[in-house]
Amino acid sequence: MKKIVGFSILCFFFILPATVFAQEKVYEVDASVLLVREEPASNSDVIGKLQAGDKIKVFQEKHGWYQTYVNGQSGWVASQYLFASDSETAVETTSSKEITVQAEGTRIRSGPDTSNSIINFATNGDKFSVVETQSDWIKVQLNDGSTGWVARWLTSDSANDSQSSSSNETTQSESAEVEQVARTENNGDGDLSGYNIVLDPGHGGHDPGAIGLYGNQEKDLAMIAANQIASDLESAGANVILTRSNDTFISLEERVNISHSYHTDAFISLHYNANPLRLVNGISTYYTNDSDQSFAYQMQQSLAEHVDLTDRGVMHESLHVLRNNDNPALLLELGFITNPHDIEVIQTESYQSNIGQAVTNALSNYFH
Ligand SMILES: [Zn+2]
């Protein structure tokens, strides 16, 4: 998000009416279990269940929910767990190609998304032949002849840079699960044990966000940051929910809906900045609601302590994902991808690890 281009992108997405589709659309379920509710609200009665791969017809959209018919009855499902089955996720088939797994304990899943169940594990150096690929996921043939999906960024055939291939798939595994679960379990005895944190990697899908000096897209860098921060938060015991765990488009309204779907203790939107003037650089924290002012200052102070980029300070602006959010909510601009120094630093592992620590410490201070 930046002052000129970013603001016009936001303005574009402010216009989000309830949509009645002229023609019914077919969507596919992208979660292991998706509950069908009587009304378009996460506290409404459950009237049915859908499974990964189920296809439904959608008649209208309302506040991030899709209306469909299940067993002859009208019902609503959370739209972020559906994708248009005739959309851009075109299947490209390849053959006689081999990939090598590059991480210990790599999960083999039943489908091309972290919401699919784990059917096996692979270790560093395991080789598999490729059956097909779908965006960031590779379908491989396992030793027993069955097939499973592995994240492309965990394999040596990765088109990603070394930084994203070193990111740990487990950081995404807890995200994008079933919408209705107020997650009560925690991951340990850390400072953030029992806290639900929603991380919101900006942009995605057909919205690349800002474009950096070397063609880097904000949406990709935001995803990398989200995975790193999620990993650190989970190490500290937090439950982490990602608004997106892959390169898909999610409206600003849906991002807020996801925040409201949980007992969310903090919502952090992650962005990188851009400016026509290459000299402009540094990190900043945005807040909209006055109740988040001190949270914003704690966050910015922690970022400034952990990273070497210029401290641009706290900004007070009216931003959709913050303004309409009932939970404590901040938006972080983690550097200018149009500045030669910032973009170089941003792509280092040490920077990513520093912002992970900065956010974790800030939340820890904020809650205690
Ligand atoms: Zn942005």
Side-chain angles (χ1 to χ4, degrees):
M1 188 210 62
K2 67 170 192 176
K3 279 285 187 327
I4 303 159
V5 172
F7 189 68
S8 61
I9 290 169
L10 287 181
C11 289
F12 175 71
F13 293 125
F14 281 144
I15 308 159
L16 289 164
T19 310
V20 178
F21 298 127
Q23 203 179 353
E24 63 199 32
K25 292 183 180 176
V26 177
Y27 284 83
E28 197 169 325
V29 175
D30 194 22
S32 49
V33 179
L34 180 59
L35 299 184
V36 183
R37 297 184 182 275
E38 199 168 5
E39 299 293 337
S42 54
N43 57 358
S44 168
D45 287 346
V46 175
I47 58 169
K49 271 184 196 175
L50 296 168
Q51 292 183 322
D54 283 352
K55 286 183 177 157
I56 58 166
K57 286 179 179 174
V58 169
F59 300 90
Q60 66 165 315
E61 190 267 351
K62 209 177 194 179
H63 313 310
W65 292 78
Y66 283 150
Q67 186 185 29
T68 185
Y69 282 89
V70 177
N71 304 326
Q73 195 184 353
S74 163
W76 295 83
V77 291
S79 63
Q80 68 261 31
Y81 301 101
L82 296 168
F83 63 95
S85 60
D86 56 348
S87 71
E88 72 269 23
T89 55
V91 177
E92 39 173 282
T93 53
T94 51
S95 61
S96 65
K97 208 175 141 190
E98 208 173 58
I99 53 103
T100 306
V101 169
Q102 292 213 302
E104 289 298 330
T106 293
R107 290 148 185 218
I108 311 282
R109 295 181 182 273
S110 60
D113 188 281
T114 52
S115 63
N116 288 285
S117 57
I118 299 161
I119 57 173
N120 216 322
F121 289 91
T123 53
N124 195 356
D126 281 356
K127 290 185 193 311
F128 298 105
S129 59
V130 175
V131 178
E132 67 175 79
T133 60
Q134 260 188 50
S135 60
D136 279 341
W137 290 79
I138 302 170
K139 189 178 190 179
V140 296
Q141 179 137 33
L142 304 177
N143 296 335
D144 63 0
S146 65
T147 57
W149 293 83
V150 61
R152 187 198 288 268
W153 61 89
L154 297 171
T155 70
S156 64
D157 216 42
S158 175
N160 297 322
D161 58 23
S162 59
Q163 188 176 313
S164 60
S165 66
S166 70
S167 74
N168 191 340
E169 192 237 347
T170 55
T171 60
Q172 293 194 351
S173 66
E174 296 305 317
S175 69
E177 297 286 1
V178 189
E179 51 85 12
Q180 85 290 358
V181 186
R183 292 152 50 98
T184 51
E185 84 274 24
N186 61 52
N187 301 316
D189 300 322
D191 265 4
L192 296 177
S193 208
Y195 288 96
N196 291 330
I197 314 297
V198 173
L199 292 180
D200 175 43
H203 314 279
H206 63 73
D207 169 20
I211 308 293
L213 270 191
Y214 310 113
N216 314 68
Q217 301 192 353
E218 183 188 354
K219 65 174 183 179
D220 298 327
L221 294 167
M223 193 70 243
I224 290 168
N227 284 331
Q228 177 65 52
I229 295 168
S231 171
D232 289 333
L233 290 175
E234 285 178 345
S235 297
N239 303 314
V240 178
I241 299 115
L242 297 180
T243 56
R244 66 177 176 97
S245 58
N246 51 29
D247 184 18
T248 47
F249 174 76
I250 302 183
S251 71
L252 299 177
E253 195 173 35
E254 281 178 58
R255 294 168 195 265
V256 176
N257 285 337
I258 292 169
S259 183
H260 291 167
S261 298
Y262 296 86
H263 175 73
T264 298
D265 296 293
F267 173 96
I268 315 277
S269 194
L270 302 167
H271 291 254
Y272 284 93
N273 226 325
N275 195 292
L277 299 173
R278 286 190 178 191
L279 285 175
V280 180
N281 67 91
I283 51 171
S284 45
T285 299
Y286 287 75
Y287 74 99
T288 299
N289 302 322
D290 289 341
S291 53
D292 292 329
Q293 187 184 36
S294 66
F295 184 20
Y297 277 94
Q298 285 178 41
M299 179 63 72
Q300 182 65 17
Q301 189 187 336
S302 185
L303 286 169
E305 282 168 4
H306 281 81
V307 305
D308 288 332
L309 301 189
T310 304
D311 176 4
R312 294 174 65 83
V314 169
M315 313 278 176
H316 185 206
E317 254 186 50
S318 183
L319 301 171
H320 185 105
V321 290
L322 307 184
R323 185 179 61 244
N324 298 319
N325 208 316
D326 296 336
N327 308 121
L330 300 177
L331 186 148
L332 312 184
E333 291 284 1
L334 296 167
F336 277 78
I337 60 178
T338 44
N339 175 264
H341 176 256
D342 280 13
I343 186 62
E344 196 176 307
V345 171
I346 284 162
Q347 293 182 94
T348 61
E349 280 190 37
S350 62
Y351 179 79
Q352 294 298 322
S353 131
N354 288 342
I355 58 172
Q357 280 309 306
V359 171
T360 304
N361 288 6
L363 286 169
S364 192
N365 291 336
Y366 173 65
F367 292 136
H368 297 108

